[in-house]
Amino acid sequence: MLLALTGCRTDEIDLYSDNSYIYFTNDSDNVIEYSFVYEPGVQTGMIPLSISLIGSLDERAREVSMRVASDKSDAPQGTYDLPSQTLLGALKARDTVWLTVYKNEAMRDVKYKLRIEINDNGNFLAGPTTNRFIDVVFSDMVSRPAWWDDTIVNNFLGVYTNLKYRLFIEATGTADLTDASENETWTYTAMFRDFLLAGRENATGDDPFTDDDGRVDVSPTFR
Amino acid sequence: MKKFINIVSAGAAALLALSSCFDDKGNYDYEEVIPVSIDMAVGNNGFLSIKFSEQLIIDPLLTFGGKTMNASQTGDTFSFIWYCNNVEIASGPVLDYPVKDLSGARPYIKLKVITNRDESTFLAGLTIDLIAEYQTGWVILTKKDGKSYLSYINPDTYEVYADFYTQLAGEELGPDAQLIEEHWSFSGLTATGNIQVVMSNPEGNIDLNGQDLTPMYYTNSYFIGNEPPAGFLPANEIYLWNFSYLLDTDGNLYLRKYATPALLQSGVYASTPIHIPGGVKIDRAWSGGLRPNVAIFYDKDNGALYYGSGSNGAVIPLRITGWMGPPLAPGAYTDPADMDKELVYVAYIAAGGMGGGGMFYALVYKAPDGSYHRQRIMLSDQGGYAVQVMVDSGANPDFQFAGSGIAHDASVFLQSFRTADHLFFSGGSDNRSLYLFEHTAKRTSLYYTFESPIRTISQNHINSAHTLLMVGLENGEFHFIGIAYDDIVAADPATRFRKKVEPGQGVPVSTLYKNGFGYTQM
């Protein structure tokens, strides 16, 4: 009984003690999703992990204990890096730790999950239980965005395919037309059309832009 | 019901019969209404153009009872009420009203004339075209001490508003201005065109308000994402009906579809160039006339021409599809898809100027031996996806009109807007001579000689009432030369001289006559 009570107490933040606590700014429920597809040409992605302090500021940068929870992760070695030393900067109540992820071919079909936990160390205790870990899911996969609706299909980009979306992002540098005006959508579609034309002209052999749905192209009504 | 109708009919017949028995002995004055015809502004056909800053004074001409006189002379015969867009603005025989106080973009002035004797009423109307202070006139781009200057020359008084850009913009134009062009929106014919200043700098082209000449837009802010491509420097910009093309100094073309063609600037340019097969780079671009829907692009490296369609934004190679006359053997013409000469000028010839439909162009080439040639072609848009190219082979289609001693690299060319037969160009010793080439007669003649080399030629020639060339000289002078019929046939070239203006702003770079309203271009 006594042990149980003691265990409960360690999860609470004692605001009246001299202890300093560190935690992920985002709730642990909020999974961070990252896809290389939205950053054409990028092989190494940098994902910011925000950490926050409860306690006193210090004139020294202080080390934070952070590790990958292997039993809750499936990302293979070599697809990510955490800094060997993670720090909360001097006189900072909030800081950013950068998780590095590396693209590979398998990520086109698979999403990798990584759980990163904060642990107690000599500088900090782990903060609220709701913010002690963060799950990061990273991949190179695409899926049909909500903005690719019937208007986009009929007037601009044609039927959705994953390859078309991937090529569209590569051609235009944008993945999101949610707030694009009709004129902006026209311009992005024209850029995509010219990208396909140039790619086909420069290709040797088979059409480089075909997928299971056939030849990748803009809507036949686009002009 | 039928019975009732019969009773009514019988009653009416009886009344008619009775009334015919009356003999009217009344003493009435049976004077007829005298019609009054009203001419609000003699010779203007219902339209009057007047500057915004002026006073609108109308003393209409009335014709009645065999007499014609101004309203101010009619005494108390009539009453007058003046309306602007159906709101009463004045009474009295003469309208004397500030133009700036008229309401509406194109005010309609209506006059009601009431004959006091019998209150018979007569109406007339007049549409007022408001002319901004700088609606029409000559605009000149000059360069002095490495800086660019824009100035305005009043077309009536020849007064010069020197370096207006610095005053109106509150900053200097800088050294990078290359070219000035007037352009219009493509649905509002009554809208005033803007002046585009092509600037080879990172800020891009500047669009000047056509009414007051103040800067309105910077083209480089019209790229998607508000971000021009890295290193982008404009070389020209062509405004067509639904699309505009932007050419950069690296030979890339960028395309924009207007969000609203009625606006002078709308829509965003792609941040990647149009794909033209073969990695083609464009050296120069021309528009096809005053309110064009066609652009002509020149690929100098490959000696080829391309057609830019204002219908769908396509860029299409110009390949000969037929002949206006008998087919010619290779060597007897210049192939627009494989030119053995350098293209130096594209002259748009107003539709109908050479007969038939389509769009007619005179292409001016420089041959390797230094001689200059012109070839006439007709283009016909096939829905924006293809273009027919017909070469005029009726006469000599590839005519040499100037030897190297006459035209040369410093020559500048100007095709008349309204006289399809006339192509003016500079040349001769030190480029001081102005020549006229007549397409039909295939005749080149000396038109005028100046004391300083010619740098620019522009024209005020939108109709037969405007027949002036402005020739900009290296010494900074601008000479106005007549090109009316009497000038063309004059025996003494000196009679062609009209006026000389010295703005003192340096060497001419690019000039134009500002035509103002879009509808004046039709």
Side-chain angles (χ1 to χ4, degrees):
Chain A
M1 181 66 177
L2 191 62
L3 279 172
L5 287 171
T6 308
C8 291
R9 293 175 72 112
T10 59
D11 284 345
E12 293 174 359
I13 305 299
D14 183 355
L15 298 174
Y16 300 100
S17 75
D18 291 335
N19 292 335
S20 289
Y21 299 85
I22 200 83
Y23 63 99
F24 286 112
T25 309
N26 288 334
D27 286 351
S28 299
D29 292 344
N30 296 333
V31 176
I32 295 176
E33 288 232 26
Y34 177 91
S35 177
F36 283 98
V37 78
Y38 302 124
E39 298 191 50
V42 168
Q43 296 295 315
T44 302
M46 302 294 288
I47 302 172
L49 307 176
S50 177
I51 53 173
S52 296
L53 168 74
I54 297 172
S56 304
L57 300 181
D58 199 299
E59 293 183 350
R60 302 170 295 123
R62 288 174 286 176
E63 185 170 0
V64 177
S65 177
M66 197 176 282
R67 72 176 186 90
V68 171
S70 303
D71 56 332
K72 301 289 185 185
S73 305
D74 59 13
Q77 290 292 331
T79 60
Y80 66 90
D81 262 334
L82 260 181
S84 56
Q85 187 182 38
T86 53
L87 298 172
L88 177 72
L91 297 174
K92 283 188 170 181
R94 182 171 291 188
D95 212 336
T96 301
V97 175
W98 290 93
L99 170 68
T100 307
V101 291
Y102 303 99
K103 186 162 81 173
N104 67 24
E105 278 299 314
M107 289 181 196
R108 284 189 165 229
D109 303 312
V110 175
K111 291 183 177 181
Y112 293 135
K113 179 184 162 189
L114 205 57
R115 174 167 292 185
I116 301 166
E117 295 176 339
I118 287 175
N119 302 116
D120 298 347
N121 67 4
N123 297 318
F124 305 104
L125 298 175
T129 52
T130 53
N131 295 66
R132 285 182 182 176
F133 68 86
I134 196 81
D135 286 335
V136 179
V137 174
F138 59 101
S139 73
D140 190 22
M141 293 172 68
V142 288
S143 59
R144 181 173 178 162
W147 57 260
W148 199 308
D149 56 16
D150 287 349
T151 302
I152 296 291
V153 170
N154 295 329
N155 300 341
F156 297 102
L157 294 171
V159 294
Y160 175 85
T161 69
N162 285 346
L163 176 62
K164 185 185 285 189
Y165 188 26
R166 196 179 288 280
L167 292 169
F168 175 82
I169 295 165
E170 186 180 344
T172 64
T174 189
D176 186 4
L177 299 188
T178 304
D179 297 323
S181 67
E182 183 178 339
N183 185 263
E184 289 169 329
T185 303
W186 187 94
T187 301
Y188 281 125
T189 307
M191 291 167 69
F192 181 47
R193 176 195 60 192
D194 282 7
F195 170 87
L196 296 175
L197 288 169
R200 289 192 165 107
E201 182 184 347
N202 295 328
T204 53
D206 296 338
D207 188 335
F209 305 130
T210 56
D211 56 18
D212 292 343
D213 293 316
R215 178 186 167 93
V216 174
D217 219 333
V218 299
S219 166
T221 63
F222 175 73
R223 61 174 296 177
Chain B
M1 174 62 85
K2 193 173 180 182
K3 186 176 178 183
F4 174 74
I5 292 172
N6 286 338
I7 291 168
V8 171
S9 300
L15 269 174
L16 279 171
L18 284 171
S19 65
S20 65
C21 298
F22 282 105
D23 184 12
D24 187 354
K25 303 289 187 186
N27 183 20
Y28 302 105
D29 181 358
Y30 278 112
E31 281 189 49
E32 293 178 4
V33 170
I34 300 172
V36 179
S37 71
I38 307 164
D39 193 346
M40 297 267 279
V42 176
N44 282 286
N45 298 322
F47 297 90
L48 183 68
S49 298
I50 187 166
K51 284 189 174 174
F52 200 71
S53 58
E54 292 178 343
Q55 193 79 0
L56 177 62
I57 300 173
I58 302 177
D59 185 359
L61 201 63
L62 306 185
T63 302
F64 56 98
K67 300 184 286 289
T68 297
M69 64 180 67
N70 285 103
S72 58
Q73 299 169 317
T74 58
D76 58 1
T77 309
F78 304 106
S79 297
F80 302 86
I81 304 175
W82 297 85
Y83 302 87
C84 175
N85 292 339
N86 290 324
V87 175
E88 184 176 334
I89 57 170
S91 58
V94 178
L95 180 67
D96 189 348
Y97 201 80
V99 174
K100 64 181 173 55
D101 292 342
L102 296 174
S103 61
R106 221 178 167 204
Y108 182 71
I109 302 296
K110 187 168 70 181
L111 170 62
K112 182 190 285 186
V113 177
I114 305 159
T115 307
N116 288 333
R117 188 184 58 188
D118 57 10
E119 295 192 342
S120 55
T121 299
F122 305 90
L123 295 169
L126 181 68
T127 300
I128 302 296
D129 286 327
L130 299 176
I131 302 176
E133 212 55 40
Y134 307 108
Q135 182 77 11
T136 60
W138 304 91
V139 181
I140 60 174
L141 171 65
T142 55
K143 192 160 268 191
K144 184 170 68 173
D145 301 329
K147 292 182 179 178
S148 303
Y149 296 92
L150 282 169
S151 304
Y152 168 85
I153 301 173
N154 186 296
D156 303 317
T157 64
Y158 293 95
E159 280 181 275
V160 177
Y161 182 3
D163 188 20
F164 67 77
Y165 184 86
T166 300
Q167 183 183 2
L168 297 177
E171 61 181 13
E172 293 186 344
L173 188 57
D176 304 316
Q178 308 292 323
L179 181 68
I180 52 175
E181 294 163 313
E182 189 176 21
H183 72 95
W184 292 269
S185 64
F186 291 93
S187 62
L189 291 178
T190 57
T192 303
N194 273 10
I195 302 291
Q196 174 190 224
V197 186
V198 175
M199 304 284 292
S200 286
N201 66 24
E203 284 74 39
N205 301 340
I206 302 170
D207 218 25
L208 304 181
N209 183 318
Q211 297 190 343
D212 61 17
L213 302 179
T214 55
M216 290 181 81
Y217 307 106
Y218 294 86
T219 301
N220 281 13
S221 64
Y222 283 88
F223 277 98
I224 198 156
N226 205 22
E227 188 70 31
F232 176 84
L233 293 175
N236 204 345
E237 192 166 7
I238 306 288
Y239 293 85
L240 306 184
W241 292 0
N242 297 302
F243 294 86
S244 62
Y245 295 90
L246 187 51
L247 175 67
D248 76 6
T249 52
D250 291 328
N252 298 308
L253 271 179
Y254 297 83
L255 180 67
R256 164 173 68 168
K257 183 179 187 181
Y258 303 134
T260 307
L263 300 177
L264 283 152
Q265 296 282 353
S266 71
V268 288
Y269 281 104
S271 56
T272 52
I274 298 171
H275 171 68
I276 307 175
V280 163
K281 297 292 184 184
I282 301 300
D283 183 66
R284 293 179 69 184
W286 288 266
S287 63
L290 288 165
R291 291 174 60 80
N293 201 29
V294 170
I296 304 290
F297 302 121
Y298 176 40
D299 167 15
K300 187 176 181 180
D301 293 341
N302 299 302
L305 287 182
Y306 289 81
Y307 173 90
S309 168
S311 300
N312 67 352
V315 176
I316 305 165
L318 285 188
R319 303 193 194 287
I320 295 174
T321 55
W323 305 91
M324 291 186 290
L328 295 169
Y333 63 94
T334 301
D335 185 349
D338 187 17
M339 295 183 280
D340 58 356
K341 307 178 182 72
E342 180 185 348
L343 183 76
V344 294
Y345 183 66
V346 173
Y348 170 72
I349 297 173
M354 291 166 66
M359 296 159 288
F360 296 89
Y361 294 84
L363 307 178
V364 176
Y365 303 111
K366 180 188 175 187
D369 66 0
S371 61
Y372 282 75
H373 302 245
R374 78 93 178 88
Q375 175 169 272
R376 301 192 289 193
I377 63 171
M378 185 189 82
L379 305 181
S380 180
D381 193 315
Q382 307 296 300
Y385 292 101
V387 59
Q388 279 194 343
V389 183
M390 309 281 282
V391 173
D392 183 357
S393 54
N396 185 340
D398 199 349
F399 183 74
Q400 178 184 326
F401 68 94
S404 58
I406 297 179
H408 41 65
D409 287 344
S411 293
V412 288
F413 299 84
L414 181 86
Q415 169 67 41
S416 162
F417 287 149
R418 292 299 176 207
T419 307
D421 210 29
H422 291 170
L423 172 69
F424 294 92
F425 66 96
S426 69
S429 175
D430 294 334
N431 205 36
R432 290 186 297 110
S433 297
L434 178 68
Y435 291 92
L436 168 63
F437 173 66
E438 295 165 87
H439 290 289
T440 305
K442 300 188 188 70
R443 181 172 57 222
T444 297
S445 55
L446 181 63
Y447 199 73
Y448 202 86
T449 301
F450 301 92
E451 293 182 353
S452 176
I454 296 170
R455 287 300 192 96
T456 61
I457 311 172
S458 46
Q459 62 184 311
N460 175 10
H461 197 203
I462 55 169
N463 57 42
S464 59
H466 298 83
T467 50
L468 267 188
L469 293 184
M470 182 177 73
V471 181
L473 304 181
E474 192 172 280
N475 64 6
E477 295 176 356
F478 289 83
H479 290 238
F480 294 84
I481 305 295
I483 53 170
Y485 175 79
D486 289 346
D487 296 308
I488 298 293
V489 300
D492 179 8
T495 62
R496 295 165 178 154
F497 175 80
R498 295 287 186 280
K499 188 81 178 175
K500 180 175 78 173
V501 171
E502 299 177 71
Q505 298 298 305
V507 179
V509 174
S510 177
T511 60
L512 59 82
Y513 182 78
K514 189 176 175 313
N515 287 292
F517 291 126
Y519 64 84
T520 60
Q521 317 315 315
M522 303 304 285

CSV table of all heavy atoms in Angstrom, one decimal, chain B residues 372-409:
chain,number,residue,atom,x,y,z
B,372,TYR,N,19.3,43.4,-96.8
B,372,TYR,CA,18.1,43.3,-96.0
B,372,TYR,C,16.9,42.9,-96.9
B,372,TYR,O,16.8,43.4,-98.0
B,372,TYR,CB,17.8,44.6,-95.3
B,372,TYR,CG,18.6,44.8,-94.1
B,372,TYR,CD1,20.0,45.1,-94.2
B,372,TYR,CD2,18.1,44.6,-92.8
B,372,TYR,CE1,20.8,45.3,-93.1
B,372,TYR,CE2,18.9,44.7,-91.7
B,372,TYR,CZ,20.3,45.0,-91.8
B,372,TYR,OH,21.1,45.1,-90.7
B,373,HIS,N,16.1,42.0,-96.4
B,373,HIS,CA,15.0,41.4,-97.2
B,373,HIS,C,13.7,41.5,-96.4
B,373,HIS,O,13.8,41.5,-95.2
B,373,HIS,CB,15.3,39.9,-97.5
B,373,HIS,CG,16.6,39.7,-98.2
B,373,HIS,ND1,16.6,39.2,-99.5
B,373,HIS,CD2,17.9,39.9,-97.9
B,373,HIS,CE1,17.9,39.1,-99.9
B,373,HIS,NE2,18.6,39.6,-98.9
B,374,ARG,N,12.6,41.5,-97.1
B,374,ARG,CA,11.3,41.4,-96.4
B,374,ARG,C,10.5,40.3,-97.1
B,374,ARG,O,10.6,40.1,-98.3
B,374,ARG,CB,10.6,42.7,-96.3
B,374,ARG,CG,9.9,43.1,-97.5
B,374,ARG,CD,8.4,42.7,-97.5
B,374,ARG,NE,7.8,43.2,-98.7
B,374,ARG,CZ,7.8,42.5,-99.9
B,374,ARG,NH1,8.4,41.4,-100.0
B,374,ARG,NH2,7.2,43.0,-100.9
B,375,GLN,N,9.9,39.5,-96.2
B,375,GLN,CA,9.0,38.5,-96.7
B,375,GLN,C,7.6,38.6,-96.1
B,375,GLN,O,7.6,38.8,-94.9
B,375,GLN,CB,9.6,37.1,-96.4
B,375,GLN,CG,8.7,35.9,-96.8
B,375,GLN,CD,9.4,34.6,-96.6
B,375,GLN,OE1,10.1,34.2,-97.6
B,375,GLN,NE2,9.4,34.0,-95.5
B,376,ARG,N,6.6,38.4,-96.8
B,376,ARG,CA,5.3,38.6,-96.2
B,376,ARG,C,4.6,37.2,-96.0
B,376,ARG,O,4.7,36.3,-96.9
B,376,ARG,CB,4.4,39.4,-97.2
B,376,ARG,CG,5.0,40.8,-97.4
B,376,ARG,CD,4.0,41.8,-98.0
B,376,ARG,NE,3.8,41.4,-99.4
B,376,ARG,CZ,3.1,42.3,-100.3
B,376,ARG,NH1,2.7,43.4,-99.8
B,376,ARG,NH2,2.9,41.9,-101.5
B,377,ILE,N,4.0,37.1,-94.8
B,377,ILE,CA,3.4,35.8,-94.5
B,377,ILE,C,2.0,36.1,-93.9
B,377,ILE,O,1.8,37.2,-93.4
B,377,ILE,CB,4.2,34.9,-93.5
B,377,ILE,CG1,4.4,35.7,-92.2
B,377,ILE,CG2,5.5,34.6,-94.1
B,377,ILE,CD1,5.0,34.8,-91.1
B,378,MET,N,1.2,35.1,-94.0
B,378,MET,CA,-0.1,35.2,-93.3
B,378,MET,C,-0.3,34.0,-92.3
B,378,MET,O,0.1,32.9,-92.6
B,378,MET,CB,-1.3,35.1,-94.3
B,378,MET,CG,-2.6,35.3,-93.7
B,378,MET,SD,-4.0,35.0,-94.8
B,378,MET,CE,-4.2,33.2,-94.6
B,379,LEU,N,-0.7,34.4,-91.1
B,379,LEU,CA,-0.9,33.4,-90.1
B,379,LEU,C,-2.4,33.2,-89.8
B,379,LEU,O,-3.1,34.2,-89.7
B,379,LEU,CB,-0.2,33.8,-88.8
B,379,LEU,CG,1.3,34.1,-88.9
B,379,LEU,CD1,1.9,34.4,-87.5
B,379,LEU,CD2,2.1,32.9,-89.5
B,380,SER,N,-2.8,32.0,-89.6
B,380,SER,CA,-4.2,31.7,-89.3
B,380,SER,C,-4.3,30.7,-88.2
B,380,SER,O,-3.8,29.6,-88.3
B,380,SER,CB,-4.9,31.2,-90.5
B,380,SER,OG,-6.3,30.9,-90.2
B,381,ASP,N,-4.8,31.2,-87.0
B,381,ASP,CA,-4.8,30.3,-85.8
B,381,ASP,C,-5.9,29.2,-86.0
B,381,ASP,O,-7.0,29.5,-86.4
B,381,ASP,CB,-5.2,31.2,-84.6
B,381,ASP,CG,-5.0,30.5,-83.3
B,381,ASP,OD1,-5.4,29.4,-83.2
B,381,ASP,OD2,-4.5,31.2,-82.4
B,382,GLN,N,-5.5,28.0,-85.7
B,382,GLN,CA,-6.4,26.9,-85.8
B,382,GLN,C,-6.8,26.4,-84.4
B,382,GLN,O,-6.4,25.4,-83.9
B,382,GLN,CB,-5.7,25.7,-86.6
B,382,GLN,CG,-5.2,26.1,-87.9
B,382,GLN,CD,-6.3,26.5,-88.9
B,382,GLN,OE1,-7.2,25.8,-89.2
B,382,GLN,NE2,-6.2,27.8,-89.4
B,383,GLY,N,-7.5,27.3,-83.7
B,383,GLY,CA,-8.0,26.9,-82.4
B,383,GLY,C,-7.0,27.0,-81.3
B,383,GLY,O,-7.2,26.4,-80.2
B,384,GLY,N,-5.9,27.6,-81.6
B,384,GLY,CA,-4.8,27.7,-80.6
B,384,GLY,C,-3.9,26.5,-80.5
B,384,GLY,O,-2.9,26.5,-79.8
B,385,TYR,N,-4.2,25.4,-81.3
B,385,TYR,CA,-3.4,24.2,-81.2
B,385,TYR,C,-2.5,24.1,-82.4
B,385,TYR,O,-1.5,23.3,-82.4
B,385,TYR,CB,-4.3,23.0,-81.2
B,385,TYR,CG,-5.0,22.9,-79.8
B,385,TYR,CD1,-6.4,23.3,-79.7
B,385,TYR,CD2,-4.4,22.5,-78.7
B,385,TYR,CE1,-7.0,23.2,-78.5
B,385,TYR,CE2,-5.0,22.4,-77.5
B,385,TYR,CZ,-6.3,22.8,-77.4
B,385,TYR,OH,-7.0,22.7,-76.2
B,386,ALA,N,-2.8,24.8,-83.5
B,386,ALA,CA,-2.0,24.7,-84.7
B,386,ALA,C,-2.1,26.1,-85.4
B,386,ALA,O,-3.0,26.9,-85.1
B,386,ALA,CB,-2.5,23.6,-85.6
B,387,VAL,N,-1.2,26.4,-86.3
B,387,VAL,CA,-1.3,27.6,-87.0
B,387,VAL,C,-0.9,27.4,-88.5
B,387,VAL,O,0.0,26.6,-88.8
B,387,VAL,CB,-0.4,28.7,-86.4
B,387,VAL,CG1,1.1,28.2,-86.3
B,387,VAL,CG2,-0.5,30.0,-87.1
B,388,GLN,N,-1.8,27.9,-89.4
B,388,GLN,CA,-1.5,27.9,-90.8
B,388,GLN,C,-0.5,29.0,-91.1
B,388,GLN,O,-0.7,30.1,-90.7
B,388,GLN,CB,-2.7,28.1,-91.6
B,388,GLN,CG,-3.5,26.8,-91.8
B,388,GLN,CD,-4.6,26.9,-92.9
B,388,GLN,OE1,-4.9,28.0,-93.3
B,388,GLN,NE2,-5.1,25.8,-93.3
B,389,VAL,N,0.5,28.7,-91.9
B,389,VAL,CA,1.5,29.7,-92.3
B,389,VAL,C,1.5,29.7,-93.8
B,389,VAL,O,1.9,28.7,-94.5
B,389,VAL,CB,2.9,29.3,-91.8
B,389,VAL,CG1,3.9,30.4,-92.2
B,389,VAL,CG2,2.9,29.1,-90.3
B,390,MET,N,1.1,30.8,-94.4
B,390,MET,CA,1.0,31.0,-95.8
B,390,MET,C,2.1,32.0,-96.2
B,390,MET,O,2.0,33.1,-95.7
B,390,MET,CB,-0.4,31.4,-96.3
B,390,MET,CG,-1.5,30.6,-95.8
B,390,MET,SD,-1.7,29.1,-96.6
B,390,MET,CE,-2.6,29.6,-98.1
B,391,VAL,N,2.9,31.7,-97.2
B,391,VAL,CA,3.9,32.6,-97.6
B,391,VAL,C,3.4,33.3,-98.9
B,391,VAL,O,2.8,32.7,-99.8
B,391,VAL,CB,5.2,31.9,-97.9
B,391,VAL,CG1,6.2,32.8,-98.6
B,391,VAL,CG2,5.8,31.3,-96.7
B,392,ASP,N,3.5,34.6,-98.9
B,392,ASP,CA,3.1,35.4,-100.1
B,392,ASP,C,4.1,35.1,-101.2
B,392,ASP,O,5.2,35.6,-101.2
B,392,ASP,CB,3.1,36.9,-99.7
B,392,ASP,CG,2.6,37.7,-100.9
B,392,ASP,OD1,2.3,37.2,-101.9
B,392,ASP,OD2,2.4,39.0,-100.7
B,393,SER,N,3.6,34.4,-102.2
B,393,SER,CA,4.4,34.1,-103.3
B,393,SER,C,3.8,34.7,-104.6
B,393,SER,O,4.2,34.3,-105.7
B,393,SER,CB,4.6,32.5,-103.5
B,393,SER,OG,3.3,31.9,-103.5
B,394,GLY,N,2.9,35.6,-104.4
B,394,GLY,CA,2.3,36.2,-105.5
B,394,GLY,C,3.2,37.1,-106.3
B,394,GLY,O,3.2,37.1,-107.5
B,395,ALA,N,4.1,37.8,-105.6
B,395,ALA,CA,5.1,38.6,-106.3
B,395,ALA,C,6.5,38.0,-105.8
B,395,ALA,O,6.5,36.8,-105.7
B,395,ALA,CB,5.0,40.0,-105.8
B,396,ASN,N,7.5,38.8,-105.6
B,396,ASN,CA,8.7,38.3,-105.1
B,396,ASN,C,8.6,38.2,-103.6
B,396,ASN,O,8.5,39.3,-103.0
B,396,ASN,CB,9.9,39.2,-105.5
B,396,ASN,CG,11.2,38.6,-105.1
B,396,ASN,OD1,11.2,37.7,-104.2
B,396,ASN,ND2,12.3,39.0,-105.7
B,397,PRO,N,8.5,37.1,-103.0
B,397,PRO,CA,8.2,37.0,-101.6
B,397,PRO,C,9.4,37.3,-100.7
B,397,PRO,O,9.2,37.6,-99.5
B,397,PRO,CB,7.7,35.6,-101.3
B,397,PRO,CG,8.5,34.8,-102.4
B,397,PRO,CD,8.6,35.7,-103.5
B,398,ASP,N,10.5,37.3,-101.2
B,398,ASP,CA,11.7,37.4,-100.4
B,398,ASP,C,12.5,38.6,-101.0
B,398,ASP,O,13.6,38.4,-101.4
B,398,ASP,CB,12.5,36.1,-100.4
B,398,ASP,CG,13.5,36.0,-99.3
B,398,ASP,OD1,13.7,37.1,-98.6
B,398,ASP,OD2,14.1,35.0,-99.1
B,399,PHE,N,11.9,39.7,-100.9
B,399,PHE,CA,12.5,40.9,-101.7
B,399,PHE,C,13.6,41.6,-101.0
B,399,PHE,O,13.4,42.0,-99.8
B,399,PHE,CB,11.3,41.8,-102.0
B,399,PHE,CG,11.8,43.0,-102.9
B,399,PHE,CD1,12.0,42.8,-104.2
B,399,PHE,CD2,11.9,44.2,-102.3
B,399,PHE,CE1,12.4,43.9,-105.0
B,399,PHE,CE2,12.3,45.3,-103.1
B,399,PHE,CZ,12.6,45.1,-104.4
B,400,GLN,N,14.7,41.8,-101.7
B,400,GLN,CA,15.8,42.6,-101.1
B,400,GLN,C,15.4,44.1,-101.2
B,400,GLN,O,15.4,44.6,-102.4
B,400,GLN,CB,17.1,42.3,-101.7
B,400,GLN,CG,18.2,43.1,-101.2
B,400,GLN,CD,19.6,42.9,-101.9
B,400,GLN,OE1,19.8,41.8,-102.3
B,400,GLN,NE2,20.3,44.0,-102.0
B,401,PHE,N,15.2,44.8,-100.1
B,401,PHE,CA,14.8,46.1,-100.3
B,401,PHE,C,15.9,47.1,-99.9
B,401,PHE,O,15.7,48.3,-100.0
B,401,PHE,CB,13.5,46.4,-99.4
B,401,PHE,CG,13.8,46.3,-97.9
B,401,PHE,CD1,14.0,47.5,-97.2
B,401,PHE,CD2,13.6,45.1,-97.3
B,401,PHE,CE1,14.2,47.4,-95.8
B,401,PHE,CE2,13.8,45.0,-95.9
B,401,PHE,CZ,14.1,46.2,-95.2
B,402,ALA,N,17.0,46.7,-99.3
B,402,ALA,CA,18.0,47.6,-98.9
B,402,ALA,C,19.3,46.8,-98.9
B,402,ALA,O,19.5,45.8,-98.4
B,402,ALA,CB,17.7,48.2,-97.5
B,403,GLY,N,20.3,47.4,-99.6
B,403,GLY,CA,21.6,46.9,-99.6
B,403,GLY,C,22.3,47.2,-98.3
B,403,GLY,O,21.8,48.0,-97.5
B,404,SER,N,23.5,46.7,-98.1
B,404,SER,CA,24.2,46.9,-96.8
B,404,SER,C,24.6,48.4,-96.7
B,404,SER,O,24.8,48.8,-95.6
B,404,SER,CB,25.4,46.0,-96.7
B,404,SER,OG,26.3,46.2,-97.9
B,405,GLY,N,24.7,49.1,-97.8
B,405,GLY,CA,25.0,50.5,-97.7
B,405,GLY,C,23.9,51.4,-97.2
B,405,GLY,O,24.1,52.5,-96.7
B,406,ILE,N,22.7,50.8,-97.2
B,406,ILE,CA,21.5,51.6,-96.8
B,406,ILE,C,21.1,51.1,-95.4
B,406,ILE,O,21.2,51.9,-94.4
B,406,ILE,CB,20.4,51.4,-97.8
B,406,ILE,CG1,20.8,52.0,-99.1
B,406,ILE,CG2,19.1,52.1,-97.2
B,406,ILE,CD1,19.7,51.9,-100.2
B,407,ALA,N,20.6,49.9,-95.2
B,407,ALA,CA,20.3,49.4,-93.9
B,407,ALA,C,21.5,48.7,-93.3
B,407,ALA,O,22.4,48.2,-94.1
B,407,ALA,CB,19.2,48.4,-94.0
B,408,HIS,N,21.6,48.7,-92.0
B,408,HIS,CA,22.8,48.0,-91.4
B,408,HIS,C,22.4,47.7,-89.9
B,408,HIS,O,21.2,47.9,-89.5
B,408,HIS,CB,24.0,48.9,-91.4
B,408,HIS,CG,23.7,50.4,-91.2
B,408,HIS,ND1,23.2,50.9,-90.0
B,408,HIS,CD2,23.8,51.4,-92.0
B,408,HIS,CE1,23.1,52.2,-90.1
B,408,HIS,NE2,23.4,52.6,-91.3
B,409,ASP,N,23.4,47.3,-89.1
B,409,ASP,CA,23.0,46.8,-87.8
B,409,ASP,C,22.4,47.9,-86.9
B,409,ASP,O,21.7,47.6,-85.9
B,409,ASP,CB,24.3,46.3,-87.1
B,409,ASP,CG,24.7,44.9,-87.7
B,409,ASP,OD1,23.9,44.3,-88.4
B,409,ASP,OD2,25.9,44.5,-87.5
